[in-house]
Amino acid sequence: MSDDPVHGELDRLAGEASARVIAWRRHLHRHPELSNREAETARLVADHLRSLGLDEVRTGVAGHGVVGVLRGAAGGDGRVVALRADTDALPVRDLCGVDFASTVVDEEYPGGPFPVSHACGHDCHTAMLMGAATVLAGVRDRLPGTVLFVFQPAEEGPPVTETGGALAMVDAGAFTDPVPTMAFGMHVTPHPKGYVGYRVGNQYGASVLVRITITGEQVHGSTPWQGVDPMPAAGAVLTGIGQLYRQVSAFDPVTVTIGHVEDVGRFNIVGQTVTLWGTIRCARESDMDDVRQRLRRLAEHSAAAYGATAEVRYLQPVPPVHNTGPWVAAGLPTFRRVVGAERVTETGQTLGYDDVSEFVRLFGGLYVILGVQDTVLGPGGVPVPEEGGRGLATNHNPHFYADDDTLVTGVRLHAHVAYDHLRGTLLPAE
Ligand SMILES: [Zn+2]
Ligand SMILES: [Zn+2]
């Protein structure tokens, strides 16, 4: 229960906005755009923010980023809350089984063509934050501070020849005036519908993109001894990665995954290069340097054993999403008011990443997950499929789905978090 009538007003306005939020989400889901190509998404967002009469709508921030500024008219102590949604989609087929599923193919994207879908649910994030802007603009006269609506492109990582994402928005000066006193982000996940999950400490891991280029010497496939075949060296690196785990503590999880192998050979040509694309994830950020060095050594020496060379590049590093104890303690009453105490749950750590970590690290704040699937919590608080439901499909899976009914919960969560921070009740104790 709340003693502040504005909370009830936020809920009422969120209910009113709900049908539009669902319509936006479905439109975005049908028209997904890959990282750094979110032009139409940005246009939809900016048009909506302008229609609300915000004080400022900045577009073209670090690519297709949009920042809306809403200055409340109720005084306050100068607090500024940054609410963030990521806007980009993934090169994944859409098999989620809804009638607004995507059939989009991006023919031009580097490395493509790719099928494109919102297999990470950023369509939900974008629509929910558009809804929150509607709600908070509706209580502007009672808002004791400033809200930044941050629509961030390229969360999934831009093409490696481009820049983009959260840090690029910081570098572009998106947060120099006004400077946030809190950042808030959330992510839809396979947790039960309407559940809010939080974790004190690292919610997600540290991440870096890996590119290993193994170079040999091109030659006819019938005379491999006259050249240098980079393929067995690549195989040795892939196999050797399995041993890296035994060189670091088993008590702090690390994964090294090669998800894409790119060669330039042919059935009768030993190609010049093989490129391995992958990612390192570390539960503890301090392990990252060590794992990077071990992988570099493995690649260089494995290649040398076959007479080839390896060049290892690390790109797009992202720090862990970290929630401090005092911020979580400050946020819990708000989360419990919005979804009910029984649906606020502590979650385990995962080795996913979210570059909203850059904002939370710089400005303080919180990151939570919002459940959107037909699941129940099983042993250890891990979601398992609900009897008779649509099952469980993880983010980035072609079958990932998010239930429309829970979008209004995300709208309310944004609005309550923002208002509580501005009025001074959602603040970490010293
Ligand atoms: Zn994702
Ligand atoms: Zn995501």
Side-chain angles (χ1 to χ4, degrees):
M1 289 303 288
S2 162
D3 54 357
D4 188 329
V6 174
H7 288 141
E9 186 65 1
L10 297 175
D11 292 340
R12 192 185 65 76
L13 291 168
E16 268 181 29
S18 168
R20 289 185 78 196
V21 171
I22 291 171
W24 287 322
R25 183 272 164 132
R26 292 184 173 200
H27 175 84
L28 292 167
H29 194 91
R30 211 190 283 270
H31 302 285
E33 294 172 300
L34 289 171
S35 307
N36 266 6
R37 302 292 182 276
E38 310 88 342
E40 293 306 317
T41 303
R43 198 189 318 274
L44 180 82
V45 166
D47 285 351
H48 173 61
L49 296 183
R50 287 195 191 98
S51 79
L52 295 172
L54 297 196
D55 297 273
E56 272 181 76
V57 179
R58 305 174 191 155
T59 58
V61 183
H64 298 293
V66 179
V67 179
V69 184
L70 173 65
R71 294 181 202 278
D77 299 324
R79 277 184 284 273
V80 178
V81 62
L83 304 175
R84 178 272 208 169
D86 38 13
T87 59
D88 54 332
L90 282 167
V92 171
R93 279 217 300 154
D94 191 339
L95 301 177
C96 78
V98 294
D99 59 7
F100 52 93
S102 163
T103 56
V104 170
V105 175
D106 188 329
E107 304 278 355
E108 312 287 322
Y109 207 71
F114 292 114
V116 187
S117 76
H118 271 295
C120 205
H122 299 183
D123 51 335
C124 301
H125 301 169
T126 303
M128 291 189 299
L129 191 54
M130 290 170 72
T134 310
V135 169
L136 289 164
V139 295
R140 170 190 237 148
D141 56 326
R142 281 161 285 175
L143 214 52
T146 300
V147 186
L148 300 181
F149 301 98
V150 181
F151 292 88
Q152 182 215 305
E155 191 280 329
E156 301 287 0
V160 293
T161 52
E162 301 174 20
T163 58
L167 196 56
M169 286 191 91
V170 174
D171 292 343
F175 307 103
T176 51
D177 182 26
V179 179
T181 52
M182 173 184 186
F184 178 68
M186 68 173 102
H187 208 298
V188 294
T189 71
H191 277 70
K193 282 178 204 169
Y195 273 63
V196 167
Y198 69 93
R199 185 171 193 276
V200 177
N202 286 357
Q203 173 94 43
Y204 289 164
S207 166
V208 75
L209 189 158
V210 178
R211 186 184 71 192
I212 303 172
T213 309
I214 298 170
T215 304
E217 198 184 319
Q218 184 157 331
V219 69
H220 196 285
S222 65
T223 55
W225 63 91
Q226 290 177 356
V228 175
D229 188 351
M231 203 67 85
V237 175
L238 288 172
T239 310
I241 283 171
Q243 288 299 310
L244 287 181
Y245 298 116
R246 301 181 59 245
Q247 299 168 12
V248 298
S249 168
F251 297 98
D252 291 303
V254 169
T255 60
V256 182
T257 292
I258 300 297
H260 179 48
V261 178
E262 192 183 357
D263 77 282
V264 296
R266 193 171 177 271
F267 76 94
N268 59 358
I269 296 175
V270 171
Q272 179 88 1
T273 59
V274 178
T275 308
L276 310 180
W277 298 90
T279 184
I280 302 174
R281 304 295 167 91
C282 294
R284 283 198 323 175
E285 192 175 18
S286 55
D287 290 337
M288 188 54 98
D289 277 349
D290 179 46
V291 179
R292 282 187 185 206
Q293 282 171 29
R294 290 179 190 281
L295 179 59
R296 182 186 302 280
R297 189 174 66 198
L298 171 74
E300 290 175 351
H301 288 254
S302 299
Y306 291 86
T309 58
E311 187 209 28
V312 182
R313 292 282 309 274
Y314 295 116
L315 307 161
Q316 302 179 2
V318 177
V321 172
H322 186 85
N323 288 319
T324 68
W327 270 109
V328 170
L332 280 174
T334 304
F335 306 153
R336 289 174 179 146
R337 182 194 320 123
V338 173
V339 298
E342 70 284 3
R343 291 191 198 82
V344 177
T345 178
E346 210 168 341
T347 61
Q349 183 175 30
T350 82
L351 291 177
Y353 83 73
D354 190 324
D355 67 357
V356 73
S357 55
E358 303 280 8
F359 302 155
V360 175
R361 167 130 99 179
L362 274 171
F363 309 119
L366 285 165
Y367 184 83
V368 298
I369 60 174
L370 177 65
V372 291
Q373 293 190 357
D374 292 331
T375 58
V376 293
L377 292 183
V382 177
V384 295
E386 185 181 31
E387 190 96 25
R390 272 181 291 171
L392 185 158
T394 54
N395 303 65
H396 292 209
N397 184 303
H399 297 279
F400 177 81
Y401 71 94
D403 193 302
D404 280 343
D405 293 350
T406 48
L407 300 182
V408 68
T409 306
V411 174
R412 293 175 56 233
L413 201 54
H414 271 306
H416 280 251
V417 164
Y419 178 68
D420 285 354
H421 178 65
L422 298 185
R423 74 177 183 143
T425 56
L426 199 172
L427 280 175
E430 279 303 298

mmCIF file with all atom_site columns, all heavy atoms in Angstrom, residues 395-416:
data_model
loop_
_atom_site.group_PDB
_atom_site.id
_atom_site.type_symbol
_atom_site.label_atom_id
_atom_site.label_alt_id
_atom_site.label_comp_id
_atom_site.label_asym_id
_atom_site.label_entity_id
_atom_site.label_seq_id
_atom_site.pdbx_PDB_ins_code
_atom_site.Cartn_x
_atom_site.Cartn_y
_atom_site.Cartn_z
_atom_site.occupancy
_atom_site.B_iso_or_equiv
_atom_site.pdbx_formal_charge
_atom_site.auth_seq_id
_atom_site.auth_comp_id
_atom_site.auth_asym_id
_atom_site.auth_atom_id
_atom_site.pdbx_PDB_model_num
ATOM 1   N N   . ASN A 1 395 ? 16.144 -16.197 -24.033 1.00 0.00 ? 395 ASN A N   1
ATOM 2   C CA  . ASN A 1 395 ? 16.497 -15.086 -24.908 1.00 0.00 ? 395 ASN A CA  1
ATOM 3   C C   . ASN A 1 395 ? 17.523 -15.566 -25.943 1.00 0.00 ? 395 ASN A C   1
ATOM 4   O O   . ASN A 1 395 ? 18.391 -16.373 -25.633 1.00 0.00 ? 395 ASN A O   1
ATOM 5   C CB  . ASN A 1 395 ? 17.097 -13.940 -24.094 1.00 0.00 ? 395 ASN A CB  1
ATOM 6   C CG  . ASN A 1 395 ? 16.168 -13.457 -22.990 1.00 0.00 ? 395 ASN A CG  1
ATOM 7   O OD1 . ASN A 1 395 ? 15.882 -14.202 -22.061 1.00 0.00 ? 395 ASN A OD1 1
ATOM 8   N ND2 . ASN A 1 395 ? 15.693 -12.246 -23.097 1.00 0.00 ? 395 ASN A ND2 1
ATOM 9   N N   . HIS A 1 396 ? 17.397 -15.043 -27.140 1.00 0.00 ? 396 HIS A N   1
ATOM 10  C CA  . HIS A 1 396 ? 18.257 -15.349 -28.298 1.00 0.00 ? 396 HIS A CA  1
ATOM 11  C C   . HIS A 1 396 ? 17.869 -16.662 -28.986 1.00 0.00 ? 396 HIS A C   1
ATOM 12  O O   . HIS A 1 396 ? 18.437 -17.020 -30.009 1.00 0.00 ? 396 HIS A O   1
ATOM 13  C CB  . HIS A 1 396 ? 19.764 -15.364 -27.948 1.00 0.00 ? 396 HIS A CB  1
ATOM 14  C CG  . HIS A 1 396 ? 20.296 -14.020 -27.594 1.00 0.00 ? 396 HIS A CG  1
ATOM 15  N ND1 . HIS A 1 396 ? 21.611 -13.640 -27.808 1.00 0.00 ? 396 HIS A ND1 1
ATOM 16  C CD2 . HIS A 1 396 ? 19.693 -12.931 -27.060 1.00 0.00 ? 396 HIS A CD2 1
ATOM 17  C CE1 . HIS A 1 396 ? 21.776 -12.393 -27.392 1.00 0.00 ? 396 HIS A CE1 1
ATOM 18  N NE2 . HIS A 1 396 ? 20.632 -11.949 -26.929 1.00 0.00 ? 396 HIS A NE2 1
ATOM 19  N N   . ASN A 1 397 ? 16.923 -17.387 -28.412 1.00 0.00 ? 397 ASN A N   1
ATOM 20  C CA  . ASN A 1 397 ? 16.405 -18.594 -29.047 1.00 0.00 ? 397 ASN A CA  1
ATOM 21  C C   . ASN A 1 397 ? 15.316 -18.172 -30.045 1.00 0.00 ? 397 ASN A C   1
ATOM 22  O O   . ASN A 1 397 ? 14.536 -17.270 -29.761 1.00 0.00 ? 397 ASN A O   1
ATOM 23  C CB  . ASN A 1 397 ? 15.808 -19.481 -27.935 1.00 0.00 ? 397 ASN A CB  1
ATOM 24  C CG  . ASN A 1 397 ? 15.311 -20.807 -28.440 1.00 0.00 ? 397 ASN A CG  1
ATOM 25  O OD1 . ASN A 1 397 ? 14.461 -20.861 -29.324 1.00 0.00 ? 397 ASN A OD1 1
ATOM 26  N ND2 . ASN A 1 397 ? 15.822 -21.876 -27.875 1.00 0.00 ? 397 ASN A ND2 1
ATOM 27  N N   . PRO A 1 398 ? 15.226 -18.827 -31.223 1.00 0.00 ? 398 PRO A N   1
ATOM 28  C CA  . PRO A 1 398 ? 14.183 -18.436 -32.186 1.00 0.00 ? 398 PRO A CA  1
ATOM 29  C C   . PRO A 1 398 ? 12.769 -18.557 -31.626 1.00 0.00 ? 398 PRO A C   1
ATOM 30  O O   . PRO A 1 398 ? 11.848 -17.909 -32.100 1.00 0.00 ? 398 PRO A O   1
ATOM 31  C CB  . PRO A 1 398 ? 14.381 -19.418 -33.347 1.00 0.00 ? 398 PRO A CB  1
ATOM 32  C CG  . PRO A 1 398 ? 15.705 -20.046 -33.157 1.00 0.00 ? 398 PRO A CG  1
ATOM 33  C CD  . PRO A 1 398 ? 16.103 -19.897 -31.726 1.00 0.00 ? 398 PRO A CD  1
ATOM 34  N N   . HIS A 1 399 ? 12.605 -19.387 -30.595 1.00 0.00 ? 399 HIS A N   1
ATOM 35  C CA  . HIS A 1 399 ? 11.274 -19.597 -29.999 1.00 0.00 ? 399 HIS A CA  1
ATOM 36  C C   . HIS A 1 399 ? 10.986 -18.648 -28.829 1.00 0.00 ? 399 HIS A C   1
ATOM 37  O O   . HIS A 1 399 ? 9.938  -18.743 -28.195 1.00 0.00 ? 399 HIS A O   1
ATOM 38  C CB  . HIS A 1 399 ? 11.133 -21.041 -29.522 1.00 0.00 ? 399 HIS A CB  1
ATOM 39  C CG  . HIS A 1 399 ? 11.213 -22.046 -30.636 1.00 0.00 ? 399 HIS A CG  1
ATOM 40  N ND1 . HIS A 1 399 ? 10.149 -22.337 -31.446 1.00 0.00 ? 399 HIS A ND1 1
ATOM 41  C CD2 . HIS A 1 399 ? 12.251 -22.787 -31.098 1.00 0.00 ? 399 HIS A CD2 1
ATOM 42  C CE1 . HIS A 1 399 ? 10.503 -23.231 -32.355 1.00 0.00 ? 399 HIS A CE1 1
ATOM 43  N NE2 . HIS A 1 399 ? 11.781 -23.515 -32.165 1.00 0.00 ? 399 HIS A NE2 1
ATOM 44  N N   . PHE A 1 400 ? 11.942 -17.739 -28.509 1.00 0.00 ? 400 PHE A N   1
ATOM 45  C CA  . PHE A 1 400 ? 11.713 -16.818 -27.385 1.00 0.00 ? 400 PHE A CA  1
ATOM 46  C C   . PHE A 1 400 ? 10.396 -16.067 -27.579 1.00 0.00 ? 400 PHE A C   1
ATOM 47  O O   . PHE A 1 400 ? 10.095 -15.589 -28.665 1.00 0.00 ? 400 PHE A O   1
ATOM 48  C CB  . PHE A 1 400 ? 12.868 -15.805 -27.286 1.00 0.00 ? 400 PHE A CB  1
ATOM 49  C CG  . PHE A 1 400 ? 12.658 -14.792 -26.193 1.00 0.00 ? 400 PHE A CG  1
ATOM 50  C CD1 . PHE A 1 400 ? 12.950 -15.106 -24.880 1.00 0.00 ? 400 PHE A CD1 1
ATOM 51  C CD2 . PHE A 1 400 ? 12.142 -13.530 -26.481 1.00 0.00 ? 400 PHE A CD2 1
ATOM 52  C CE1 . PHE A 1 400 ? 12.731 -14.175 -23.863 1.00 0.00 ? 400 PHE A CE1 1
ATOM 53  C CE2 . PHE A 1 400 ? 11.919 -12.598 -25.474 1.00 0.00 ? 400 PHE A CE2 1
ATOM 54  C CZ  . PHE A 1 400 ? 12.219 -12.920 -24.167 1.00 0.00 ? 400 PHE A CZ  1
ATOM 55  N N   . TYR A 1 401 ? 9.616  -15.985 -26.505 1.00 0.00 ? 401 TYR A N   1
ATOM 56  C CA  . TYR A 1 401 ? 8.356  -15.230 -26.588 1.00 0.00 ? 401 TYR A CA  1
ATOM 57  C C   . TYR A 1 401 ? 8.165  -14.414 -25.318 1.00 0.00 ? 401 TYR A C   1
ATOM 58  O O   . TYR A 1 401 ? 8.786  -14.689 -24.281 1.00 0.00 ? 401 TYR A O   1
ATOM 59  C CB  . TYR A 1 401 ? 7.160  -16.175 -26.801 1.00 0.00 ? 401 TYR A CB  1
ATOM 60  C CG  . TYR A 1 401 ? 6.824  -17.010 -25.580 1.00 0.00 ? 401 TYR A CG  1
ATOM 61  C CD1 . TYR A 1 401 ? 5.864  -16.585 -24.672 1.00 0.00 ? 401 TYR A CD1 1
ATOM 62  C CD2 . TYR A 1 401 ? 7.483  -18.211 -25.333 1.00 0.00 ? 401 TYR A CD2 1
ATOM 63  C CE1 . TYR A 1 401 ? 5.560  -17.339 -23.550 1.00 0.00 ? 401 TYR A CE1 1
ATOM 64  C CE2 . TYR A 1 401 ? 7.179  -18.963 -24.211 1.00 0.00 ? 401 TYR A CE2 1
ATOM 65  C CZ  . TYR A 1 401 ? 6.217  -18.530 -23.320 1.00 0.00 ? 401 TYR A CZ  1
ATOM 66  O OH  . TYR A 1 401 ? 5.926  -19.266 -22.205 1.00 0.00 ? 401 TYR A OH  1
ATOM 67  N N   . ALA A 1 402 ? 7.348  -13.394 -25.425 1.00 0.00 ? 402 ALA A N   1
ATOM 68  C CA  . ALA A 1 402 ? 7.032  -12.548 -24.266 1.00 0.00 ? 402 ALA A CA  1
ATOM 69  C C   . ALA A 1 402 ? 5.538  -12.270 -24.295 1.00 0.00 ? 402 ALA A C   1
ATOM 70  O O   . ALA A 1 402 ? 4.984  -11.909 -25.333 1.00 0.00 ? 402 ALA A O   1
ATOM 71  C CB  . ALA A 1 402 ? 7.804  -11.240 -24.340 1.00 0.00 ? 402 ALA A CB  1
ATOM 72  N N   . ASP A 1 403 ? 4.888  -12.445 -23.158 1.00 0.00 ? 403 ASP A N   1
ATOM 73  C CA  . ASP A 1 403 ? 3.450  -12.252 -23.100 1.00 0.00 ? 403 ASP A CA  1
ATOM 74  C C   . ASP A 1 403 ? 3.103  -10.768 -22.997 1.00 0.00 ? 403 ASP A C   1
ATOM 75  O O   . ASP A 1 403 ? 3.633  -10.059 -22.157 1.00 0.00 ? 403 ASP A O   1
ATOM 76  C CB  . ASP A 1 403 ? 2.887  -13.005 -21.893 1.00 0.00 ? 403 ASP A CB  1
ATOM 77  C CG  . ASP A 1 403 ? 1.385  -13.095 -21.974 1.00 0.00 ? 403 ASP A CG  1
ATOM 78  O OD1 . ASP A 1 403 ? 0.736  -12.033 -22.048 1.00 0.00 ? 403 ASP A OD1 1
ATOM 79  O OD2 . ASP A 1 403 ? 0.856  -14.213 -21.989 1.00 0.00 ? 403 ASP A OD2 1
ATOM 80  N N   . ASP A 1 404 ? 2.208  -10.333 -23.868 1.00 0.00 ? 404 ASP A N   1
ATOM 81  C CA  . ASP A 1 404 ? 1.777  -8.932  -23.881 1.00 0.00 ? 404 ASP A CA  1
ATOM 82  C C   . ASP A 1 404 ? 1.219  -8.449  -22.544 1.00 0.00 ? 404 ASP A C   1
ATOM 83  O O   . ASP A 1 404 ? 1.339  -7.286  -22.208 1.00 0.00 ? 404 ASP A O   1
ATOM 84  C CB  . ASP A 1 404 ? 0.633  -8.764  -24.907 1.00 0.00 ? 404 ASP A CB  1
ATOM 85  C CG  . ASP A 1 404 ? 1.150  -8.661  -26.327 1.00 0.00 ? 404 ASP A CG  1
ATOM 86  O OD1 . ASP A 1 404 ? 2.348  -8.395  -26.500 1.00 0.00 ? 404 ASP A OD1 1
ATOM 87  O OD2 . ASP A 1 404 ? 0.333  -8.837  -27.242 1.00 0.00 ? 404 ASP A OD2 1
ATOM 88  N N   . ASP A 1 405 ? 0.570  -9.352  -21.808 1.00 0.00 ? 405 ASP A N   1
ATOM 89  C CA  . ASP A 1 405 ? -0.110 -8.942  -20.577 1.00 0.00 ? 405 ASP A CA  1
ATOM 90  C C   . ASP A 1 405 ? 0.834  -8.337  -19.554 1.00 0.00 ? 405 ASP A C   1
ATOM 91  O O   . ASP A 1 405 ? 0.417  -7.582  -18.680 1.00 0.00 ? 405 ASP A O   1
ATOM 92  C CB  . ASP A 1 405 ? -0.770 -10.167 -19.906 1.00 0.00 ? 405 ASP A CB  1
ATOM 93  C CG  . ASP A 1 405 ? -1.898 -10.716 -20.751 1.00 0.00 ? 405 ASP A CG  1
ATOM 94  O OD1 . ASP A 1 405 ? -2.260 -10.034 -21.730 1.00 0.00 ? 405 ASP A OD1 1
ATOM 95  O OD2 . ASP A 1 405 ? -2.386 -11.813 -20.432 1.00 0.00 ? 405 ASP A OD2 1
ATOM 96  N N   . THR A 1 406 ? 2.116  -8.713  -19.648 1.00 0.00 ? 406 THR A N   1
ATOM 97  C CA  . THR A 1 406 ? 3.045  -8.256  -18.610 1.00 0.00 ? 406 THR A CA  1
ATOM 98  C C   . THR A 1 406 ? 3.661  -6.895  -18.951 1.00 0.00 ? 406 THR A C   1
ATOM 99  O O   . THR A 1 406 ? 4.363  -6.320  -18.137 1.00 0.00 ? 406 THR A O   1
ATOM 100 C CB  . THR A 1 406 ? 4.184  -9.270  -18.425 1.00 0.00 ? 406 THR A CB  1
ATOM 101 O OG1 . THR A 1 406 ? 4.684  -9.602  -19.707 1.00 0.00 ? 406 THR A OG1 1
ATOM 102 C CG2 . THR A 1 406 ? 3.700  -10.496 -17.718 1.00 0.00 ? 406 THR A CG2 1
ATOM 103 N N   . LEU A 1 407 ? 3.376  -6.374  -20.150 1.00 0.00 ? 407 LEU A N   1
ATOM 104 C CA  . LEU A 1 407 ? 4.021  -5.113  -20.529 1.00 0.00 ? 407 LEU A CA  1
ATOM 105 C C   . LEU A 1 407 ? 3.615  -3.974  -19.600 1.00 0.00 ? 407 LEU A C   1
ATOM 106 O O   . LEU A 1 407 ? 4.432  -3.128  -19.245 1.00 0.00 ? 407 LEU A O   1
ATOM 107 C CB  . LEU A 1 407 ? 3.678  -4.761  -21.985 1.00 0.00 ? 407 LEU A CB  1
ATOM 108 C CG  . LEU A 1 407 ? 4.119  -5.781  -23.039 1.00 0.00 ? 407 LEU A CG  1
ATOM 109 C CD1 . LEU A 1 407 ? 3.760  -5.286  -24.429 1.00 0.00 ? 407 LEU A CD1 1
ATOM 110 C CD2 . LEU A 1 407 ? 5.611  -6.063  -22.952 1.00 0.00 ? 407 LEU A CD2 1
ATOM 111 N N   . VAL A 1 408 ? 2.358  -3.973  -19.204 1.00 0.00 ? 408 VAL A N   1
ATOM 112 C CA  . VAL A 1 408 ? 1.894  -2.889  -18.336 1.00 0.00 ? 408 VAL A CA  1
ATOM 113 C C   . VAL A 1 408 ? 2.643  -2.911  -16.995 1.00 0.00 ? 408 VAL A C   1
ATOM 114 O O   . VAL A 1 408 ? 2.875  -1.870  -16.371 1.00 0.00 ? 408 VAL A O   1
ATOM 115 C CB  . VAL A 1 408 ? 0.354  -2.948  -18.140 1.00 0.00 ? 408 VAL A CB  1
ATOM 116 C CG1 . VAL A 1 408 ? -0.052 -4.160  -17.325 1.00 0.00 ? 408 VAL A CG1 1
ATOM 117 C CG2 . VAL A 1 408 ? -0.150 -1.664  -17.502 1.00 0.00 ? 408 VAL A CG2 1
ATOM 118 N N   . THR A 1 409 ? 3.064  -4.100  -16.578 1.00 0.00 ? 409 THR A N   1
ATOM 119 C CA  . THR A 1 409 ? 3.849  -4.202  -15.341 1.00 0.00 ? 409 THR A CA  1
ATOM 120 C C   . THR A 1 409 ? 5.191  -3.495  -15.509 1.00 0.00 ? 409 THR A C   1
ATOM 121 O O   . THR A 1 409 ? 5.659  -2.798  -14.606 1.00 0.00 ? 409 THR A O   1
ATOM 122 C CB  . THR A 1 409 ? 4.082  -5.687  -14.984 1.00 0.00 ? 409 THR A CB  1
ATOM 123 O OG1 . THR A 1 409 ? 2.824  -6.342  -14.943 1.00 0.00 ? 409 THR A OG1 1
ATOM 124 C CG2 . THR A 1 409 ? 4.781  -5.818  -13.648 1.00 0.00 ? 409 THR A CG2 1
ATOM 125 N N   . GLY A 1 410 ? 5.794  -3.657  -16.677 1.00 0.00 ? 410 GLY A N   1
ATOM 126 C CA  . GLY A 1 410 ? 7.058  -2.961  -16.939 1.00 0.00 ? 410 GLY A CA  1
ATOM 127 C C   . GLY A 1 410 ? 6.888  -1.455  -16.984 1.00 0.00 ? 410 GLY A C   1
ATOM 128 O O   . GLY A 1 410 ? 7.733  -0.702  -16.496 1.00 0.00 ? 410 GLY A O   1
ATOM 129 N N   . VAL A 1 411 ? 5.762  -1.014  -17.544 1.00 0.00 ? 411 VAL A N   1
ATOM 130 C CA  . VAL A 1 411 ? 5.467  0.429   -17.571 1.00 0.00 ? 411 VAL A CA  1
ATOM 131 C C   . VAL A 1 411 ? 5.364  0.953   -16.147 1.00 0.00 ? 411 VAL A C   1
ATOM 132 O O   . VAL A 1 411 ? 5.952  1.981   -15.785 1.00 0.00 ? 411 VAL A O   1
ATOM 133 C CB  . VAL A 1 411 ? 4.147  0.698   -18.333 1.00 0.00 ? 411 VAL A CB  1
ATOM 134 C CG1 . VAL A 1 411 ? 3.755  2.164   -18.227 1.00 0.00 ? 411 VAL A CG1 1
ATOM 135 C CG2 . VAL A 1 411 ? 4.268  0.269   -19.791 1.00 0.00 ? 411 VAL A CG2 1
ATOM 136 N N   . ARG A 1 412 ? 4.624  0.247   -15.310 1.00 0.00 ? 412 ARG A N   1
ATOM 137 C CA  . ARG A 1 412 ? 4.447  0.679   -13.912 1.00 0.00 ? 412 ARG A CA  1
ATOM 138 C C   . ARG A 1 412 ? 5.766  0.660   -13.166 1.00 0.00 ? 412 ARG A C   1
ATOM 139 O O   . ARG A 1 412 ? 6.051  1.538   -12.351 1.00 0.00 ? 412 ARG A O   1
ATOM 140 C CB  . ARG A 1 412 ? 3.415  -0.227  -13.220 1.00 0.00 ? 412 ARG A CB  1
ATOM 141 C CG  . ARG A 1 412 ? 1.994  -0.058  -13.778 1.00 0.00 ? 412 ARG A CG  1
ATOM 142 C CD  . ARG A 1 412 ? 1.032  -1.056  -13.156 1.00 0.00 ? 412 ARG A CD  1
ATOM 143 N NE  . ARG A 1 412 ? 1.021  -0.962  -11.714 1.00 0.00 ? 412 ARG A NE  1
ATOM 144 C CZ  . ARG A 1 412 ? 1.204  -1.998  -10.889 1.00 0.00 ? 412 ARG A CZ  1
ATOM 145 N NH1 . ARG A 1 412 ? 1.366  -3.215  -11.381 1.00 0.00 ? 412 ARG A NH1 1
ATOM 146 N NH2 . ARG A 1 412 ? 1.199  -1.816  -9.589  1.00 0.00 ? 412 ARG A NH2 1
ATOM 147 N N   . LEU A 1 413 ? 6.568  -0.351  -13.442 1.00 0.00 ? 413 LEU A N   1
ATOM 148 C CA  . LEU A 1 413 ? 7.861  -0.454  -12.754 1.00 0.00 ? 413 LEU A CA  1
ATOM 149 C C   . LEU A 1 413 ? 8.736  0.764   -13.065 1.00 0.00 ? 413 LEU A C   1
ATOM 150 O O   . LEU A 1 413 ? 9.292  1.402   -12.153 1.00 0.00 ? 413 LEU A O   1
ATOM 151 C CB  . LEU A 1 413 ? 8.532  -1.750  -13.222 1.00 0.00 ? 413 LEU A CB  1
ATOM 152 C CG  . LEU A 1 413 ? 9.610  -2.361  -12.347 1.00 0.00 ? 413 LEU A CG  1
ATOM 153 C CD1 . LEU A 1 413 ? 9.131  -2.581  -10.926 1.00 0.00 ? 413 LEU A CD1 1
ATOM 154 C CD2 . LEU A 1 413 ? 10.040 -3.706  -12.957 1.00 0.00 ? 413 LEU A CD2 1
ATOM 155 N N   . HIS A 1 414 ? 8.853  1.094   -14.343 1.00 0.00 ? 414 HIS A N   1
ATOM 156 C CA  . HIS A 1 414 ? 9.611  2.297   -14.723 1.00 0.00 ? 414 HIS A CA  1
ATOM 157 C C   . HIS A 1 414 ? 9.071  3.534   -14.003 1.00 0.00 ? 414 HIS A C   1
ATOM 158 O O   . HIS A 1 414 ? 9.823  4.323   -13.440 1.00 0.00 ? 414 HIS A O   1
ATOM 159 C CB  . HIS A 1 414 ? 9.477  2.539   -16.237 1.00 0.00 ? 414 HIS A CB  1
ATOM 160 C CG  . HIS A 1 414 ? 10.503 1.847   -17.079 1.00 0.00 ? 414 HIS A CG  1
ATOM 161 N ND1 . HIS A 1 414 ? 11.860 1.980   -16.872 1.00 0.00 ? 414 HIS A ND1 1
ATOM 162 C CD2 . HIS A 1 414 ? 10.373 1.053   -18.168 1.00 0.00 ? 414 HIS A CD2 1
ATOM 163 C CE1 . HIS A 1 414 ? 12.513 1.282   -17.796 1.00 0.00 ? 414 HIS A CE1 1
ATOM 164 N NE2 . HIS A 1 414 ? 11.645 0.706   -18.585 1.00 0.00 ? 414 HIS A NE2 1
ATOM 165 N N   . ALA A 1 415 ? 7.741  3.696   -14.058 1.00 0.00 ? 415 ALA A N   1
ATOM 166 C CA  . ALA A 1 415 ? 7.139  4.923   -13.541 1.00 0.00 ? 415 ALA A CA  1
ATOM 167 C C   . ALA A 1 415 ? 7.321  5.041   -12.027 1.00 0.00 ? 415 ALA A C   1
ATOM 168 O O   . ALA A 1 415 ? 7.681  6.111   -11.507 1.00 0.00 ? 415 ALA A O   1
ATOM 169 C CB  . ALA A 1 415 ? 5.652  4.962   -13.907 1.00 0.00 ? 415 ALA A CB  1
ATOM 170 N N   . HIS A 1 416 ? 7.100  3.925   -11.314 1.00 0.00 ? 416 HIS A N   1
ATOM 171 C CA  . HIS A 1 416 ? 7.234  3.969   -9.849  1.00 0.00 ? 416 HIS A CA  1
ATOM 172 C C   . HIS A 1 416 ? 8.694  4.178   -9.433  1.00 0.00 ? 416 HIS A C   1
ATOM 173 O O   . HIS A 1 416 ? 8.974  4.911   -8.497  1.00 0.00 ? 416 HIS A O   1
ATOM 174 C CB  . HIS A 1 416 ? 6.685  2.676   -9.234  1.00 0.00 ? 416 HIS A CB  1
ATOM 175 C CG  . HIS A 1 416 ? 5.188  2.649   -9.118  1.00 0.00 ? 416 HIS A CG  1
ATOM 176 N ND1 . HIS A 1 416 ? 4.519  2.736   -7.911  1.00 0.00 ? 416 HIS A ND1 1
ATOM 177 C CD2 . HIS A 1 416 ? 4.225  2.541   -10.060 1.00 0.00 ? 416 HIS A CD2 1
ATOM 178 C CE1 . HIS A 1 416 ? 3.210  2.673   -8.112  1.00 0.00 ? 416 HIS A CE1 1
ATOM 179 N NE2 . HIS A 1 416 ? 3.005  2.549   -9.420  1.00 0.00 ? 416 HIS A NE2 1
#
